[in-house]
Amino acid sequence: MTNPAEVLGLPKPVWITEDVAMLYDMAHRFLVDEIAPHYDDYEKNEIVDRSAWEKAGAAGLLCASMPEEYGGAGGTFAHESAIIEAIGHVGVDGFGIGLHNAIVAPYILRYGSEEQKKKWLPRMASGELIGAIAMTEPGAGSDLQGVRTRAEKAGNQYRINGSKTFITNGQNANLIVVVTKTDPAKGAKGTSLIVVETDEVEGFQRGRNLDKIGLKANDTSELFFNDVAVPTANLLGAEEGQGFIQLMQQLPQERLMIGTTAIAMAERALAATIDYVKERQAFGQKIIDFQNTQFKLAELKTEITIGRTFYNDCVARHLAGGLDPATASMAKYWLSDLQGRVVDECLQLFGGYGYMNEYPIARMYRDARVQRIYGGTNEIMKLLIARSL
Ligand SMILES: Cc1cc2nc3c(=O)[nH]c(=O)nc-3n(C[C@H](O)[C@H](O)[C@H](O)COP(=O)(O)OP(=O)(O)OC[C@H]3O[C@@H](n4cnc5c(N)ncnc54)[C@H](O)[C@@H]3O)c2cc1C
């Protein structure tokens, strides 16, 4: 098969150093050998087995960008990008490592105390703890200021009450960063992030593993907190009320990461389609010999090349500490839109076979759709970009 990582024929950016390239190869091999053979089962069961997480931990794929002293591999976002790209190129997009590594762990590294980092990060790196972040509620999605989950201080504990929905890794997760209100009267300034280790508490319940149109292998779930008591030491940050600022600081990386998934899947869709149209025949010739096919694929290759170049530049800026929120929002919105267009046009070139679940392009079509919705909808991204005008 045409290699998705090489389908554009672009030179590698400087941030793909030798060790980042080696990590990509290693992750790719691991995913092909250990995850892809079971992936249909994970889709059927609507969850990736815990054992897969533990194997990923043993292979060094969890917490790649966490410092070695906390059990990580001491890498950067470039290393996380390599792993997430490998997931997209192999086509096991429901395996929620990206969220665990590049969203949840960074909250603990950035805002956790020394004690919290030592307690949680090594166990996240081994796969003993699987991470989730619980922001969204039935009544608060785009407008996170409307979060109602309440954390009330009682002595040296917080008592948490509320419900969350659409939480990635929601059935597997046993370390959840929960967005709560510690002082509802203060609105955004009364928001705090509190870590719940679910194995250690009472009153925590997992709701439905939600029935989605795509990303079937991910256990996107409802979560309920009924008077869940956690030590006040589980607050992230030195004081209450920092939650909104912490979210705003971390969201650019989350948005860039959605761009990683988008560009990797677009490359995979293009590679798979090039292979297909070179084989399939109609009217006595190969599908690629029709000028329409050539023009469509030429357009897509051009657009993906533009997207990849922009993505590479965003990563370079992020690694240098200079990826501003507006540009991260552009990456999320534009690359996920691109992904949707590419997958749709590619599916068309497969004809009826593209609509059959046994063809990977069909799964890509289903999996791509949510990219324009989660991590802040693309409409919200445009609002954020507009603020920079
Ligand atoms: C598969 C999946 C996984 C997810 N994983 C997580 C997770 O791990 N953790 C988590 O906390 N959340 C997660 N989410 C939730 C996701 O982030 C939210 O669904 C998303 O932010 C949108 O919120 P909402 O669904 O409430 O839509 P709403 O906010 O109700 O939006 C509905 C529509 O209105 C539009 N809209 C809203 N406000 C405006 C505005 N001001 N201007 C213009 N248009 C607007 C939106 O763009 C959208 O089109 C996940 C969702 C899905 C589907």
Side-chain angles (χ1 to χ4, degrees):
M1 174 180 154
T2 300
N3 184 347
E6 286 167 10
V7 68
L8 301 176
L10 288 175
K12 295 224 179 303
V14 286
W15 56 263
I16 301 195
T17 52
E18 208 173 309
D19 61 318
V20 171
M22 274 168 58
L23 180 63
Y24 173 88
D25 290 342
M26 195 269 271
H28 195 281
R29 241 188 341 268
F30 172 84
L31 295 165
V32 167
D33 294 345
E34 302 287 347
I35 305 299
H38 309 288
Y39 199 71
D40 283 346
D41 287 338
Y42 298 157
E43 286 241 314
K44 253 183 240 127
N45 301 337
E46 301 190 343
I47 190 164
V48 172
D49 263 13
R50 263 202 107 78
S51 62
W53 284 88
E54 282 154 14
K55 279 187 199 163
L61 297 181
L62 300 183
C63 295
S65 58
M66 293 297 113
E68 287 175 21
E69 58 184 307
Y70 304 122
T76 65
F77 183 77
H79 298 83
E80 302 298 2
S81 179
I83 295 170
I84 299 160
E85 287 186 41
I87 289 175
H89 287 159
V90 174
V92 290
D93 298 270
F95 193 9
I97 295 186
L99 181 117
H100 174 93
N101 279 13
I103 298 178
V104 181
Y107 275 104
I108 292 165
L109 181 69
R110 177 89 191 267
Y111 307 111
S113 64
E114 192 55 28
E115 201 187 332
Q116 289 173 330
K117 289 188 250 193
K118 285 201 172 117
K119 185 171 177 203
W120 293 319
L121 289 175
R123 288 153 69 210
M124 287 185 76
S126 69
E128 180 192 335
L129 290 178
I130 296 177
I133 176 145
M135 301 182 253
T136 307
E137 300 182 358
S142 299
D143 183 9
L144 278 181
Q145 298 201 26
V147 160
R148 295 179 60 163
T149 295
R150 178 85 167 92
E152 268 176 293
K153 212 178 205 168
N156 59 358
Q157 290 187 324
Y158 284 112
R159 293 203 162 265
I160 304 176
N161 283 286
S163 57
K164 299 286 182 182
T165 193
F166 302 152
I167 307 307
T168 299
N169 300 339
Q171 297 293 317
N172 265 331
N174 46 357
L175 180 139
I176 306 178
V177 176
V178 186
V179 179
T180 68
K181 284 276 169 68
T182 37
D183 188 347
K186 286 196 184 153
K189 288 186 179 145
T191 305
S192 302
L193 306 185
I194 297 178
V195 174
V196 175
E197 254 197 87
T198 62
D199 298 337
E200 299 198 340
V201 295
E202 282 176 21
F204 170 72
Q205 272 182 314
R206 299 176 204 275
R208 286 177 301 155
N209 185 358
L210 297 160
D211 180 13
K212 307 185 294 297
I213 61 173
L215 286 185
K216 287 284 197 187
N218 195 275
D219 46 322
T220 314
S221 302
E222 299 169 325
L223 304 176
F224 300 105
F225 300 84
N226 303 310
D227 235 8
V228 171
V230 298
T232 48
N234 283 19
L235 175 75
L236 285 182
E239 55 185 12
E240 291 177 3
Q242 299 300 304
F244 227 78
I245 298 165
Q246 293 165 341
L247 287 169
M248 293 306 121
Q249 286 170 340
Q250 293 304 304
L251 282 172
Q253 176 157 312
E254 176 172 352
R255 289 173 179 154
L256 182 58
M257 199 196 90
I258 293 171
T260 320
T261 301
I263 201 71
M265 187 191 283
E267 289 165 345
R268 178 165 186 252
L270 180 64
T273 309
I274 291 171
D275 288 349
Y276 184 79
V277 297
K278 284 183 176 169
E279 290 292 323
R280 176 81 179 163
Q281 301 228 345
F283 296 95
Q285 61 185 42
K286 295 196 165 126
I287 302 290
I288 189 142
D289 293 329
F290 296 114
Q291 196 182 48
N292 176 65
T293 308
Q294 294 171 18
F295 279 13
K296 278 288 169 214
L297 290 177
E299 285 165 15
L300 295 182
K301 185 169 180 180
T302 306
E303 285 194 66
I304 302 168
T305 299
I306 294 167
R308 169 52 89 172
T309 308
F310 175 50
Y311 173 75
N312 285 346
D313 183 60
C314 285
V315 176
R317 286 164 69 174
H318 185 48
L319 292 171
L323 185 69
D324 58 288
T327 309
S329 301
M330 290 178 204
K332 193 273 170 179
Y333 130 64
W334 200 81
L335 293 171
S336 62
D337 266 13
L338 171 70
Q339 173 188 15
R341 269 198 314 280
V342 167
V343 170
D344 187 65
E345 297 274 20
C346 285
L347 189 149
Q348 187 70 14
L349 293 173
F350 277 75
Y353 295 93
Y355 201 65
M356 298 299 128
N357 277 324
E358 67 190 278
Y359 280 76
I361 193 71
R363 185 143 85 203
M364 288 187 240
Y365 184 79
R366 291 190 280 108
D367 289 354
R369 187 63 185 86
V370 75
Q371 288 260 106
R372 285 141 67 187
I373 297 170
Y374 60 20
T377 65
N378 285 6
E379 292 72 34
I380 296 297
M381 295 306 103
K382 290 174 198 174
L383 282 180
L384 297 173
I385 298 161
R387 281 189 199 150
S388 71
L389 300 177

